[in-house]
Amino acid sequence: MAIKTGQDYIQSLKGRKLTVYLFGEQVQDPVEHPMIRPSINAVAETYDLAAREEDLASPMSKISGKRVNRFLHIAESANDLVLQNKMQRKLGQLTGTCFQRCVGMDALNSLHSTTFEIDEKHHTNYHKRLLAFIKKMQEENFVIGGAMTDVKGDRSKAPSEQADPDLFVHITKRTADGVYVTGAKAHQTGVINSHWMIIMPTIRLLEKDKDWGIVGAIPVDAPGITYIYGRQSCDTRSMEEGDIDAGNSQFAGQEAMVILDNVFIPNDLIFMNGEVEFAAMLVERFTCYHRRSYVCKTGLGDVLIGAAAAISDYNGIPDVSHIRDKLVEMTHLNESIFAAGISSSYQAQEMKSGVWLNDDMLANVCKHNVTRFPYEISRLAQDIAGGLVVTLPSEQDFRNTTTGPLLKKYLAGRKGTDVENRMRILRLIENMTLGRNAVGYLTESMHGAGSPQAQRIQIARQMQLGYKKNLAKNLANVKEDAEESKENSDYFKRVFKIPK
Amino acid sequence: MAIKTGQDYIQSLKGRKLTVYLFGEQVQDPVEHPMIRPSINAVAETYDLAAREEDLASPMSKISGKRVNRFLHIAESANDLVLQNKMQRKLGQLTGTCFQRCVGMDALNSLHSTTFEIDEKHHTNYHKRLLAFIKKMQEENFVIGGAMTDVKGDRSKAPSEQADPDLFVHITKRTADGVYVTGAKAHQTGVINSHWMIIMPTIRLLEKDKDWGIVGAIPVDAPGITYIYGRQSCDTRSMEEGDIDAGNSQFAGQEAMVILDNVFIPNDLIFMNGEVEFAAMLVERFTCYHRRSYVCKTGLGDVLIGAAAAISDYNGIPDVSHIRDKLVEMTHLNESIFAAGISSSYQAQEMKSGVWLNDDMLANVCKHNVTRFPYEISRLAQDIAGGLVVTLPSEQDFRNTTTGPLLKKYLAGRKGTDVENRMRILRLIENMTLGRNAVGYLTESMHGAGSPQAQRIQIARQMQLGYKKNLAKNLANVKEDAEESKENSDYFKRVFKIPK
Amino acid sequence: MAIKTGQDYIQSLKGRKLTVYLFGEQVQDPVEHPMIRPSINAVAETYDLAAREEDLASPMSKISGKRVNRFLHIAESANDLVLQNKMQRKLGQLTGTCFQRCVGMDALNSLHSTTFEIDEKHHTNYHKRLLAFIKKMQEENFVIGGAMTDVKGDRSKAPSEQADPDLFVHITKRTADGVYVTGAKAHQTGVINSHWMIIMPTIRLLEKDKDWGIVGAIPVDAPGITYIYGRQSCDTRSMEEGDIDAGNSQFAGQEAMVILDNVFIPNDLIFMNGEVEFAAMLVERFTCYHRRSYVCKTGLGDVLIGAAAAISDYNGIPDVSHIRDKLVEMTHLNESIFAAGISSSYQAQEMKSGVWLNDDMLANVCKHNVTRFPYEISRLAQDIAGGLVVTLPSEQDFRNTTTGPLLKKYLAGRKGTDVENRMRILRLIENMTLGRNAVGYLTESMHGAGSPQAQRIQIARQMQLGYKKNLAKNLANVKEDAEESKENSDYFKRVFKIPK
Amino acid sequence: MAIKTGQDYIQSLKGRKLTVYLFGEQVQDPVEHPMIRPSINAVAETYDLAAREEDLASPMSKISGKRVNRFLHIAESANDLVLQNKMQRKLGQLTGTCFQRCVGMDALNSLHSTTFEIDEKHHTNYHKRLLAFIKKMQEENFVIGGAMTDVKGDRSKAPSEQADPDLFVHITKRTADGVYVTGAKAHQTGVINSHWMIIMPTIRLLEKDKDWGIVGAIPVDAPGITYIYGRQSCDTRSMEEGDIDAGNSQFAGQEAMVILDNVFIPNDLIFMNGEVEFAAMLVERFTCYHRRSYVCKTGLGDVLIGAAAAISDYNGIPDVSHIRDKLVEMTHLNESIFAAGISSSYQAQEMKSGVWLNDDMLANVCKHNVTRFPYEISRLAQDIAGGLVVTLPSEQDFRNTTTGPLLKKYLAGRKGTDVENRMRILRLIENMTLGRNAVGYLTESMHGAGSPQAQRIQIARQMQLGYKKNLAKNLANVKEDAEESKENSDYFKRVFKIPK
């Protein structure tokens, strides 16, 4: 029976045989681990939202012919992409953290068009297999992780040139029924909270990298997989008594390293197998979707702006002009990110396979702003919060019968402010600017979907300097020096496309 | 017979009796004045584009039932607003300057809904009059100027409180046939190049400001009007021999002060008359359209990026990594503006009158970035250009038989570079960063459609801190302190609206 | 016998009877507490440096006639202030954290001139008492904490107007031998690691605030004092096994809340008692010294730049142009802070008491840059580090016999890189940008010595707009509108002072 | 008889036989040319200041044994360098433009040590010649221009590799009495207002570039020299009637191209001749002095801040919080530049020849901030000024009897504000942000003394990553990976130097 609610989802994770290591020990039941549970709660919220707001989060799918969770939906229009962004912002607002399902969604969408185009050239049947897989996922309502980032080893070398072939996931054996793969994927967001993962190459491949050109679906509890849990700033606070010091006790993100040791993928779950010239296409389409998915951070930005506004109330100075001005600046930056994301979605185009792909230039612009503005929003939140955000005593001191009353007496702010509430908001700000969810709000904003330089390279590839030089030369009456128009990008075609 | 081409348009301006002062003298024929002509050429380009690219710039109008110039079109969908942005960017690319027609377009669109809502309340018939006026303008294909900015006097006082009542345009006499108005409008973009202007109040009005609550259309050659031409940096270079030193010899902007001395407006051209409570609505809707219209500056940005790329070619260093990186940064900033503008248009909503209005928060975000990023793009362009951009000798020295050969010898750059072409691009960069079109690219970007603080106020009004504080309090488990949700803005309703 | 080495110092802290609370329990021996010890080590380093580099950190004092620790030295020249800055940078480099002694040093120096000027007016003998106290401290070589920041309560009210008089430390009883004080001081840097603290008012006082106008020295183990330890991001990692995950296992900062309950101060340790008109002078001179003391953060910046450079080596990409460029930018920002700090010291002037005071405008400029640049340096460090900085598994997983070999295999970077060393540097970057020392490098940089707005107010008070308006009016040939020169600041006198 | 006053200086320029071209014609008397004169006035101010403020601008020289103009003085101490900065800021305040004498001052000082070290190696007698030359200049009190920047041609090639050998100034003929040189120097600041120029190589030279390794002094009216005057934004306004529209009618900068056609230099005025290995040393020391000389721009910044404050008065809104805040920000940025400059001077060291050289890292930091902050200060000034700064009608319209009264009526601001004064301040802001002095305040700030990338390279060379990596590795307990300390820079030695 399909998963419906967040509660169903949590139930579905129980009793699985995953090999998960954390703090040097194997975790018996991740669902009940106090440090892991907040990350599961965040995924659960994606189910509850889908149930609560169907138009936003449960569209009708042409594939299964019924309403499905949007994270499993193939975009059938530009509006579908816009609605992904709106859902992402909403979930950011509701959880204040990374809810871990965008990679899977973006992987499915990018595979939709890529498998179609591989088949077109190679007469393979990956696209049909993919549709069958998607249909099944939609029917079961599963969580899919997208496993792309290899550990990479020496970055100046191709996969097949590495000292150790395992530094990129690759095929170790081929049988009539399928293939076996070995390697490791780093920074796997929410993977332990997923039901399936799709492994994909992480970079452009050469002819000699054929064994590394593998895309396939694997259940997360397949034999041969080891998970090593990633540490986060202040992660152990989730294991302390009380709920104040965690800042956001209910929700958190999750990153793990996944190690694959001869893991089997049957033929009908293979979606690319050696067609290395399509690796770059897959990576580029995936990052195109995914860089715009960082609109989710505007939802976290909304929370942090709200927290900064709340603490200025509690401090008794909400209407001071410089505080007000900083809240405006935070909002301006946050909405600048949102604008870039949804404009990319609105400017989408239909691919041969029928899926829609958002604008690549604007997706990169969105993500590039995400590598800058959350840091500044965070800095301003700390400015508004005051120094107490990093000198506040522990919740246990607040509960202690000697020190508790002293703290209540001396941390009184504006009349009528409850000291515990003031502490709670300060801890939330710490959580998002230094603590557990700073990992998602800041550092993941920097590196997820590609580091800043990756966006700059992609912007450079699309900036059409030849076209622009001709504009300038024309206005300056430059003689006999027009550039030939052999651009490698069609960004301006999309800019000036007439929407219907 | 209606104007069709840029040439027709220029013809239509000839022989008019306008009282225009420039450099202390009355200008006999503005069309032939070498300093004014480039601003006329820029408007002419809006006609030629409409003829050349109908889908982009000549939509079908429900009002006149035929294709009209988009600058005279009432937006019938969100896409119409998006296409305004696309047309604006294109014209920015083609002219490298302000083409002066957005104020009129935005005025007509904001009056469409405002007159409708005035009529609804007051049972007046302004909306019908406006439609008739628009229809006539569409048929004649005229240029409309929007005259909003009063000179304002003491900024701490309302119009009726000023020492001199004329510091805001107001009604001085009422007759059965119409009204007479007196006052002055500052910074009137392209007004001398227009056929008609629409006067509008510039701020929120009080009951006692009734005589200042006037909206009406006036032909620019109506009796009682005096125009005083505004100076621009390097304006007189347009009057020098040659075409290099002007930088952009063909195109420029225009700002003038308009002084109205008992100018008559007949009843059928009056669109508001004393309904002062609607002044704020009109101003807000106008600025909502207009702040997003600054997407035009991305077209100028494209030109300047192209010029910077061209000069790096001529200097022989196009592939140096720091040059490349600066071009990427310029592009990133330019597209960040574009994204905010079109996202505002895409997120539009239909008004009661049937016109569509773009998103106000995102429009302000767009304009606010316009008050920052062109300055940084301009700084980077000067960085790439090198010091010669401000030490280059005059075109006359280049033409002189003694100094010309010396300059050709010593200003040689990369092999094969023509020295004159190098000078031309340098002068274009000077033009856009210090010279005549820096006025439009920089200072007008700062102050047009409201100075930065005006955007911050508008962002503040829509930032919904109550909503955001509740998000934070919820995640921090704050007890008994939820804010009542009495927000003065519905921004988040628009954010989460389901597009059809 | 006087303390000489860091080891002596640590010994001197043992066996004291301090009432310290942490995690809801009383700490028996702070010296041996694994979470507190790193903060003690940082102070110990100030002793070892003084022994190792006498010219830098152990100047000759006129007061005791011998070499003393610079943190106990009264500045006898501008060079003494410059050398404070140089010592601060060095200690920042050596510890990568806050070494907690600047507040005491700056308190002693500001009291030197303030007590002199109080005595001059009131014929008191505070200055002589202070000199005796300083002499004793120099001879014993003790650590002094400066206790200024009150908890403040309702920020719109003066101390005497608060609902609870204890919200600012005040005199509760006066006897022939001295006074008793009650209240609390927040954010007390290194106070538990000190031997003495000097309490001082935190704001301008009014006549009615007489009981709040108290300055005096108190041994930290005086009866009536309770300390509540402040939490820091990732603080409990210092209590985990191993030394990798802490990032900087040896050194950390310390902030605590100090609660004074009728604590006695004998007459000879009182340095102000009710002369409320001098409270503002004391606060201003203290912040003048202290805002420039933030030069220490350039030492932390050096460490973080070094860590970023090291991780780029380990990642195998040290010579990539964008990495190089980011290291240059980090250096540029770091040195901009240093420049402002030492220029403030060099531009010092002698006070009536003979102590030297650095330039106030430049001190504020220094601190204001400190509220911005470390955040950007930190952002760039995270950019260079890569995503692993927040997804790295724990040291225990690295030591585990199953996962350890997997991590060594898969986290291999450039050939020859030791995986453990790579982890160590990543953890150091985490420590300084999100973890325990981010508290000192970022948030304390924001709020220590006054939040950003406090610097803006102080810059505003010294910006001499009247003087500058006259410069402009003179060049613009403005007629009959010169401003009278009644400035409240003499900044430009100091700017144009002729150094000898 | 030596020049004493500004008036004497102007007199000294009359009747010289210079071949100066401007607008395609030879200028008969530059002194009386209305476009050139403001640049002469700016130099004249350096004489008047020297007479008025001897301690600041007329130090005692060991060379001539008497008080000399500081621009001709060899720095005998760190304080001498600090006083250069103070004088530069003062002159920036007095003129609002480039006063054109720093290049000469910095050239003499850098030649002092370089000639000494050449002699030391080659047993030449350049240093003695130089001292004789300096003595003569001091006695005559002449203006010296430093002619460094060659036109450079193809930037990827060395001087001797260029298609045309003249693209770098070089020796064309050698005789017993001296040498003949040919080539061109671009961007020569104030050269036509100088009495002498010193030609110097502009880049590192190779052994084969021997003929390009020439340093020598040339009177500006030597046979064979042609000057072509550089255009500036709005330059012709200086030739219009009236004094308002020029903005700063009295003062301006000057840049010209200098073409040398077999110009003779006698032996006793040659200070380097083929010792190519010293070219880099000369260039580096010159830029070290000169990058810190950009402190002058803080004087211009003071003027622009004053103008912004004045216009906010005239607009009636000086106390609005956002205006106030922008003035604080402008001040903060301006003083950040000042701090970096004087800290570089204060941290100077004595060279073998006895001259003092300021700190190179901090000089580069100073100049690098100069390539950024004036642009932001300028942007903020335009923000405060309002749109009128670019739409104001001409002075002639203000003087015209019809339009003048209209402008007075309608440009009235706050009560009591004189409209003409308001126009004057607006024109000054235009002058400094777009007009004639924007050339010096902005673009010259970008490119003078080397473009931004040149500073980044120099910062990179001194950032001592090895030293910093060791700091990080030490704190992270990295094992067996300390870097060898073979740094190419001694920046940290200077940082930690003990001043006497």
Side-chain angles (χ1 to χ4, degrees), chain B residues 265-336:
Chain B
I265 311 177
N267 288 330
D268 63 333
L269 294 176
I270 293 175
F271 310 129
M272 176 194 290
N273 187 347
E275 296 82 5
V276 288
E277 75 274 26
F278 285 91
M281 177 191 284
L282 177 60
V283 172
E284 275 176 32
R285 291 187 183 171
F286 171 76
T287 53
C288 178
Y289 285 118
H290 202 45
R291 286 179 188 168
R292 162 219 58 123
S293 282
Y294 275 77
V295 159
C296 65
K297 302 303 178 198
T298 60
L300 279 74
D302 292 327
V303 173
L304 189 51
I305 294 165
I311 199 65
S312 72
D313 283 354
Y314 292 161
N315 290 346
I317 47 167
D319 298 323
V320 168
S321 70
H322 77 92
I323 298 286
R324 192 88 184 159
D325 198 59
K326 283 163 191 165
L327 291 167
V328 168
E329 182 66 18
M330 294 163 85
T331 301
H332 171 66
L333 296 174
N334 203 42
E335 301 300 342
S336 288

Side-chain angles (χ1 to χ4, degrees), chain A residues 412-469:
Chain A
R414 193 198 51 179
K415 205 185 154 189
T417 294
D418 182 77
V419 169
E420 181 174 330
N421 283 345
R422 193 180 175 206
M423 286 175 69
R424 287 183 176 279
I425 292 293
L426 285 167
R427 286 291 178 216
L428 176 60
I429 294 174
E430 185 196 32
N431 170 272
M432 298 187 79
T433 62
L434 292 171
R436 196 161 177 198
N437 286 327
V439 167
Y441 187 53
L442 302 180
T443 324
E444 192 192 289
S445 288
M446 178 67 81
H447 292 291
S451 302
Q453 189 61 13
Q455 289 117 47
R456 294 182 87 79
I457 289 167
Q458 201 63 8
I459 291 171
R461 293 177 62 188
Q462 300 179 80
M463 65 182 174
Q464 292 188 253
L465 289 182
Y467 174 93
K468 286 175 184 156
K469 283 190 273 192

